[in-house]
Amino acid sequence: MSLPKDELPIDNSQHLSDSEYEAPELAMVEVSQSVEQLTNAEGDQQAELFNDMLEESEPGTVALLLESLPLDERYERWSQVDADERIAVLDLMRADPRNGILDEMPEAELDSLFSQISPEDLIEWSDTLPDAMTERALSQMGERQRQHYDRYDQYSENEIGRYAEHQFLALNLTSTVSQAQRFFRRIKLDCNDHVFLLDDDDKYIGSVRRHDVFRAAPECTLESLLWEDSRSILADASLIEAAEAIEHSNELEIAVVDTSGIMIGRMTLRTATALVREHYEAQLMATAGMDEDDDLFAPITVGARRRAVWLGINLLTAFLASATIGLFENVLEKVVALAVLMPIVASMGGIAGSQSLTLMIRGMAMGQISSGNFMSLLKNELGIGILNGVLWATVIGLIAGYWFNDPIIGTVIGAAILINMAVAAIAGVVVPMILQKMNQDAALSGSVILTTVTDVVGFFCFLGLASVLYLY
């Protein structure tokens, strides 16, 4: 919701203050000590200690403390959080623990909570909330808030339009500097450095900077102060594209517009920073087949079910590698040293491939990889793989030959490592591109496929070469 262009509005912003936003990072230093104090206390002593922490802590710290407690203690301590602080605390929690608390709340308390929630918060929560819970929250909203929710909900989870902030200062071209000055003095919004100028149809025209507003004569029109470098972001732009746009603009806020040019909200530098951080947390957790919203104290059956699928996939790839080894039982029986050296071949290929894979995933996330530079990148990574392959194949080959007093085994492992590292470099570049074409998450699936490729190729080359040289 833009603030009215023709009258001075009342600020009902739900945005966090600077200290609240920074609380999660600052709390990291002392949260472990606070958690230890809470978990060592029991009953009334723990409740009293938590009350003291509530008085001294920002919502971000409270969210971390609650997430760090076992479920039964978490729900008890949640009851001590003031009603006015609950939205802010839940908003800074991960999805799983937040949903767990909502499930435990009595219906009356839940309705009271949802009556305070903003469309922006509900949009973010709805990504993981059950549909019934989202509908319950919407039923507690006014008609105008529901309209804002529907407007944002038309965009996907990867589009900035979904997370645009609808609280912003907006005026028309004929408004005066004195009006803008009153807006800035009366209305306090997070990262607010512009007043946005819209026409009568709410189409974005440009913006005027706070600095210019307070330097100009009160009777001047805002049109005369229109900033020539005003920028906007399309609502269907990806989160990473939008974050890059505001980063490169050196501004605190940028207008978010739909395809017809209507301003639907704004994105702030703070929002962009949070989105990028969450994106890379998701990438990191995905490499282990997990979700960044997973609860630290998720119920055992829930946690086991989530991880079982991932373990099953890894089991299948392990069987594939084992089957490859099984093809060369004869040479393994004859040259036992091969079994000792096999892990080195797989490990070197796996590390080389993961380096290329990490580079690709980062480049893809930042929008730096395209069909135009794909072949150049492939050649570059292959060159690096071969150069490192020659170096380490020589080193490991000499060590293995000396260790087992057998130059043949040194030659075999050296050749296998060289081939495997070259193949790993190719796979590290090609696999994520293929997964992207298939609309699959490269961070989630890439490492499993890459490990399978390097294990199978490494074992096959190593044991295949050994079979040729030792058995024939």
Side-chain angles (χ1 to χ4, degrees), residues 362-401:
R362 185 187 68 181
M364 290 162 63
M366 301 300 292
Q368 296 175 308
I369 310 297
S370 69
S371 56
N373 62 8
F374 173 73
M375 288 306 299
S376 297
L377 182 59
L378 179 60
K379 292 176 183 177
N380 192 66
E381 286 299 303
L382 180 58
I384 293 172
I386 291 174
L387 186 59
N388 272 324
V390 170
L391 171 64
W392 292 107
T394 302
V395 171
I396 296 171
L398 291 173
I399 292 174

Side-chain angles (χ1 to χ4, degrees), residues 3 33 65 88 143 166 239 258 322 393 415 417 425:
L3 299 175
Q33 181 180 357
L65 291 174
E143 180 61 28
H166 71 268
L239 302 182
D258 64 16
S322 297
I417 286 177

